[in-house]
Amino acid sequence: MPPGAHYPIQFDGETRAACCRGCQAVAQTILDSGQGAYYTHRTALPATPREEEAELAQLGLYDLPEIQESFVRVEAEHLREAALILENIVCAACIWLNERHIAALPGVLSVEINYATRRARVRWDDRRIQLSAILKAVSDIGYIAHPFDPGRSDDVYRRERNTAIRRLAIAGLGMMQVMMYALPTYTATDMTDEVRGLMRWASLVLTLPVVGYSAWPFFVGTWRDLRRRTLGMDVPVALGVATAFAASVYSTFTGQGEVYYDSVNMFVFLLLTGRFLEMNARRRAGAAVEELVKLIPAAAARLPHWPERDTEQVPVARLKAGDLVLVRPGETLPADGVVLEGVSAVSEAMLTGESLPVSKQAGARVVGGSLNQVSPLVVRVEKLGADTRLASIVRLLDRAQSEKPRIGQVADRAAAWFVGLLLVITAFVGYAWYTLDPSRALWIVVSILVVTCPCALGLATPAALTTGTGRLTRLGLLTTRGHALETLARATDIVFDKTGTLTLGRLSVRQVLPVGGHSADAVRAIAAALEAGSEHPIARALREDIAAPLAAHDVRNTPGLGVEGRIGDRAYRLGTPRFAADDAAPPASAAGESWVALAEDGELIAWFALGDTLRPDAAEALAALRRQGLHVHLLSGDGEAPVQTVAGQLGIRTWRAGTLPEDKLAYVKTLQAGGRIVAMVGDGINDAPVLAGAQVSIAMGEGTDVAQAAADMVMLGSRLAPLAEGVALARQTQRIVRQNLGWALGYNLIAIPAAALGHVTPWIAGIGMSASSLLVVLNALRLSDFGDAPDLGK
């Protein structure tokens, strides 16, 4: 037990200890669900984590609804989706094998595995298969799967990293020692056979732990592949190491032929070095998703007896909808909810990319994972776990990173038959050299097996997509479909909706025209008092920025016309010109604003011009898109005057007013028929058809759920600047994917013939294979800092 740990559990009338809040919550859930027999009949703790996973699977605890609440999302009556973490993943072939194996299970509807984070999204029909059966199926092929937990994910990474360091250290030590014995045999001219034999035996002893421990993952991977009748990327490496080592052992015992202990040690060390560096680079590539999933805290301060302020610390997993929690300054909100009390500023930077904090007060909605900065807030919990907005963002990002565009699918198919072709080529070359020069045949065969790198081919696309989508998320543009980056990079036209997309989608007072000597402040205060109890958009606009409105009484609302009431001994009317101003003509307006009249005792005293407001960065964002060569279009259902005004302010030459949803879709289809690749940006339900019809679509984060569901990308904040950044990043991502594929193909086309002709020794082959995979990942990592340049529009 960790020092100072105090996490009690009540069981059989006794208080038992747990090591952390997570174990406390899970154990309590098991007991509360009536499964206490698990602890009653357990005679000993499992010896290893793997045995523990098997024990839990046998008991079916992962199939209990109470256990699944924290990590399983219910999509329909019998459809389930779970986030799992996979252990023992070492290369792209492991992803391919697990996806094929899990997808083949009856009842599994889909499986997507993110190579960078090793997180799997599995959907299944619980009438046909249970989660425990899926976990066991993964275990049957030599991997370990368990429910995703950010803390456990870190533990898995640290454990695998420490194991990799130990294997690497032993291989490095063996390489250095064996080279000390090998060098004299290469350089000495008067060495006796007895001394040479002693050097070989010493090298054998030093090489045994390298082959038996450091190189063990290659042999395990090969055995796993062969059992499944597949040829993975570990097969040629294991064959190369085993062949060279077996030949060297034979020569050591017989005293005839050459030994290759130095080469075996060197390329095992170099291959492990490459994998270790690749592991760290892959971890960095998936950092964006990992940062998001860690935002939710482990515990929260619940208020069990509100309005009393006494709090109790409970695991977030035990919160329920309707619970009240106290979030102090500097703490992270544990769930989605509504503020009941308090005024504060909340940072949503990790979720939306917005650097400025957002003001929150009673009635405001808050998002789990955002940071409270100023004052305490009392929040009523509404959504937890897989139902939160943060979980939805992570789910969409996982899906986008797991889905492969066309170019990636081609690369995967090529990598699948690459190893088989390689073995055929190796056998043919080995036979040819055996007939020409038997003394060189063995090390040439080993060189061919080791120098080839199907891993680079398999990593070329997912490494770039994972890094690119992660960077876009930090910029405030969430990618929800795998093809989105590829299509956005090729887009020629971008079509915008107006209201809620180019504008903020809320009315504001553009102009106040007092009549009869009244001041602007006075008539604003009167209007705010009359609209104090209304939630109509016009009412909210008239109340905005009025600190202390007057008190109105006898207020009556006439739907569609306006509101009337009394302030003091005066009677007021506020609404349409017909209602409040005896049908007086409103002032002329070139911008197409709506006019609201205010009358006092039947006399007109003010006009208010109300209009939508452009997003602050709209002009700059559209200018950047035009500099990138995109043709900008504006489609809106509003009248001609406001649409023309917005188009003029933003420099949009092609616009259409009064368009219905079917008109927008027809417009986009016309562009597509002319060979254009269209990106559509919208926010409302009426935009859903055209969002679905465009080649790539972007929904505003403040828009409707229907629009977001139809879109390929979602803007997380209120800024439009990420659009231009997204186009630039998408184009750079495609360049890097092509560079990676070009390097992987070019490298193999050069390396295989060179090795077959005898120009590549085994240790150089080890360097080449490690460097090729590492170069692909490092090239993709250039995207993680993309967008720091001053102007992405150029």
Side-chain angles (χ1 to χ4, degrees):
M1 300 294 293
H6 181 65
Y7 305 103
I9 302 168
Q10 296 299 321
F11 178 57
D12 275 353
E14 298 181 9
T15 300
R16 308 293 182 91
C19 60
C20 64
R21 285 194 181 94
C23 290
Q24 181 191 39
V26 171
Q28 197 63 51
T29 302
I30 292 172
L31 295 174
D32 293 344
S33 63
Q35 301 295 321
Y38 168 70
Y39 295 108
T40 303
H41 298 295
R42 184 182 65 183
T43 57
L45 290 172
T48 66
R50 181 175 294 184
E51 290 177 15
E52 182 179 4
E53 294 292 338
E55 190 174 51
L56 283 173
Q58 291 169 5
L59 293 171
L61 291 178
Y62 282 138
D63 297 331
L64 292 174
E66 296 85 356
I67 300 295
Q68 292 186 359
E69 278 184 358
S70 62
F71 67 94
V72 173
R73 188 169 70 99
V74 179
E75 292 188 351
E77 184 179 358
H78 295 288
L79 297 184
R80 303 289 185 268
E81 180 183 88
L84 307 175
I85 191 75
L86 297 182
E87 296 187 38
N88 300 336
I89 298 291
V90 295
C91 68
C94 300
I95 302 294
W96 176 82
L97 175 61
N98 275 278
E99 285 183 338
R100 284 194 61 185
H101 183 63
I102 298 173
L105 298 174
V108 173
L109 305 178
S110 67
V111 56
E112 298 161 349
I113 303 175
N114 186 321
Y115 173 72
T117 62
R118 302 166 183 204
R119 188 161 54 252
R121 292 273 172 193
V122 183
R123 295 176 66 247
W124 73 94
D125 184 339
D126 69 350
R127 293 171 298 184
R128 301 176 60 195
I129 191 169
Q130 295 297 313
L131 178 60
S132 56
I134 297 174
L135 301 181
K136 187 176 186 306
V138 174
S139 177
D140 288 343
I141 58 173
Y143 298 88
I144 301 174
H146 46 74
F148 175 76
D149 173 75
R152 190 164 187 176
S153 175
D154 286 341
D155 291 341
V156 169
Y157 170 72
R158 282 193 292 268
R159 186 166 64 247
E160 292 183 350
R161 187 174 185 273
N162 291 338
T163 300
I165 289 173
R166 286 194 297 270
R167 295 188 193 278
L168 186 59
I170 290 174
L173 184 63
M175 179 189 69
M176 290 186 290
Q177 296 300 317
V178 169
M179 287 301 296
M180 289 174 58
Y181 293 123
L183 187 61
T185 63
Y186 294 147
T187 58
T189 58
D190 56 350
M191 182 178 292
T192 63
D193 291 340
E194 290 78 7
V195 173
R196 190 178 301 275
L198 181 62
M199 296 286 191
R200 290 185 172 188
W201 280 103
S203 297
L204 170 60
V205 172
L206 290 168
T207 304
L208 279 172
V210 175
V211 173
Y213 178 70
S214 295
W216 186 245
F218 300 117
F219 296 115
V220 171
T222 298
W223 173 244
R224 185 167 54 225
D225 292 338
L226 294 178
R227 281 178 58 198
R228 296 288 305 164
R229 293 182 175 86
T230 60
L231 294 175
M233 300 175 190
D234 283 329
V235 172
V237 174
L239 281 177
V241 172
T243 302
F245 181 68
S248 300
V249 171
Y250 176 80
S251 297
T252 301
F253 276 92
T254 61
Q256 300 175 355
E258 297 294 329
V259 295
Y260 305 97
Y261 295 122
D262 53 340
S263 295
V264 169
N265 281 273
M266 187 171 291
F267 66 68
V268 168
F269 173 76
L270 293 171
L271 291 173
L272 291 176
T273 299
R275 281 200 173 178
F276 179 73
L277 295 174
E278 182 188 321
M279 176 195 300
N280 292 329
R282 181 180 60 212
R283 178 77 173 181
R284 185 181 164 197
V289 185
E290 295 302 312
E291 288 170 1
L292 286 175
V293 297
K294 292 177 184 176
L295 289 179
I296 297 295
R302 185 165 62 187
L303 295 165
H305 307 296
W306 174 258
E308 295 180 15
R309 289 283 181 158
D310 296 334
T311 64
E312 59 178 1
Q313 288 292 118
V314 297
V316 170
R318 296 183 64 183
L319 289 177
K320 298 178 181 177
D323 283 349
L324 302 184
V325 294
L326 176 65
V327 185
R328 300 178 180 88
E331 293 182 346
T332 301
L333 278 91
D336 292 0
V338 176
V339 177
L340 290 188
E341 182 181 282
V343 178
S344 186
V346 174
S347 172
E348 299 177 350
M350 285 297 297
L351 298 170
T352 66
E354 299 279 2
S355 58
L356 295 177
V358 181
S359 177
K360 300 291 183 182
Q361 55 190 350
R365 294 194 173 276
V366 290
V367 180
S370 52
L371 178 67
N372 185 23
Q373 293 188 331
V374 179
S375 304
L377 292 174
V378 176
V379 177
R380 183 179 68 243
V381 173
E382 291 195 338
K383 293 182 179 180
L384 289 156
D387 296 325
T388 62
R389 184 183 178 197
L390 176 63
S392 174
I393 290 174
V394 171
R395 193 160 51 244
L396 292 172
L397 190 55
D398 269 341
R399 182 179 69 183
Q401 293 181 345
S402 302
E403 290 178 354
K404 297 180 178 69
R406 287 172 298 174
I407 192 170
Q409 294 170 2
V410 172
D412 282 355
R413 286 195 293 269
W417 55 258
F418 184 91
V419 174
L421 179 61
L422 167 66
L423 296 179
V424 173
I425 292 173
T426 303
F428 175 77
V429 172
Y431 176 77
W433 274 104
Y434 185 78
T435 58
L436 296 173
D437 187 352
S439 64
R440 302 181 64 189
L442 179 63
W443 71 259
I444 288 176
V445 166
V446 172
S447 296
I448 296 174
L449 290 172
V450 174
V451 78
T452 51
C453 191
C455 279
L457 197 61
L459 286 173
T461 301
L465 284 181
T466 297
T467 311
T469 52
R471 178 59 181 164
L472 264 186
T473 302
R474 288 194 292 270
L475 292 173
L477 184 59
L478 174 67
T479 306
T480 66
R481 298 288 195 280
H483 75 87
L485 275 180
E486 180 186 16
T487 311
L488 185 62
R490 298 186 294 113
T492 59
D493 294 70
I494 185 163
V495 179
F496 287 91
D497 173 50
K498 183 181 77 70
T499 304
T501 302
L502 293 176
T503 67
L504 294 173
R506 60 176 183 264
L507 293 174
S508 62
V509 177
R510 295 278 190 86
Q511 194 176 4
V512 180
L513 298 178
V515 178
H518 292 79
S519 70
D521 290 340
V523 296
R524 284 292 304 271
I526 293 169
L530 293 170
E531 295 284 16
S534 175
E535 288 302 316
H536 191 279
I538 292 178
R540 287 197 295 266
L542 291 170
R543 289 199 308 265
E544 192 173 7
D545 298 328
I546 303 299
L550 302 171
H553 56 91
D554 297 335
V555 177
R556 294 192 307 275
N557 179 56
T558 304
L561 294 176
V563 64
E564 58 185 312
R566 301 185 69 86
I567 299 176
D569 59 353
R570 301 279 188 175
Y572 294 93
R573 275 194 169 196
L574 177 71
T576 64
R578 174 184 161 195
F579 177 74
D582 293 330
D583 248 345
S589 172
E593 293 103 339
S594 299
W595 287 96
V596 174
L598 174 64
E600 179 185 77
D601 293 332
E603 295 291 331
L604 180 67
I605 63 171
W607 288 101
F608 300 95
L610 294 134
D612 206 348
T613 304
L614 285 176
R615 294 185 184 271
D617 65 339
E620 182 182 351
L622 266 61
L625 290 169
R626 281 190 291 267
R627 288 196 298 271
Q628 291 171 332
L630 288 166
H631 297 279
V632 179
H633 307 254
L634 173 59
L635 303 179
S636 176
D638 292 349
E640 184 170 332
V643 175
Q644 184 177 18
T645 300
V646 169
Q649 291 173 334
L650 298 178
I652 302 174
R653 297 179 181 178
T654 308
W655 56 271
R656 297 286 187 276
T659 53
L660 299 174
E662 54 268 30
D663 299 328
K664 294 180 180 181
L665 182 59
Y667 185 88
V668 167
K669 294 295 184 185
T670 301
L671 289 176
Q672 293 170 336
R676 314 296 291 180
I677 297 174
V678 180
M680 177 69 202
V681 188
D683 77 310
I685 293 176
N686 62 327
D687 295 322
V690 69
L691 286 171
Q695 281 104 330
V696 62
S697 52
I698 303 105
M700 303 303 295
E702 303 159 341
T704 65
D705 292 341
V706 175
Q708 294 182 21
D712 303 313
M713 309 177 92
V714 178
M715 304 279 291
L716 295 177
S718 60
R719 300 183 309 124
L720 289 173
L723 276 177
E725 296 168 344
V727 172
L729 183 59
R731 292 175 178 176
Q732 178 67 4
T733 301
Q734 288 307 108
R735 281 193 289 269
I736 284 183
V737 168
R738 287 192 291 267
Q739 289 169 5
N740 284 350
L741 289 174
W743 161 255
L745 290 171
Y747 165 80
N748 284 295
L749 289 175
I750 294 173
I752 294 176
L757 294 173
H759 300 312
V760 179
T761 60
W763 69 271
I764 293 178
I767 293 177
M769 180 184 180
S770 302
S772 60
S773 291
L774 186 59
L775 184 63
V776 163
V777 177
L778 292 178
N779 190 38
L781 278 177
R782 293 193 296 133
L783 292 167
S784 61
D785 297 321
F786 186 84
D788 295 331
D791 188 358
L792 287 171
K794 296 181 180 179

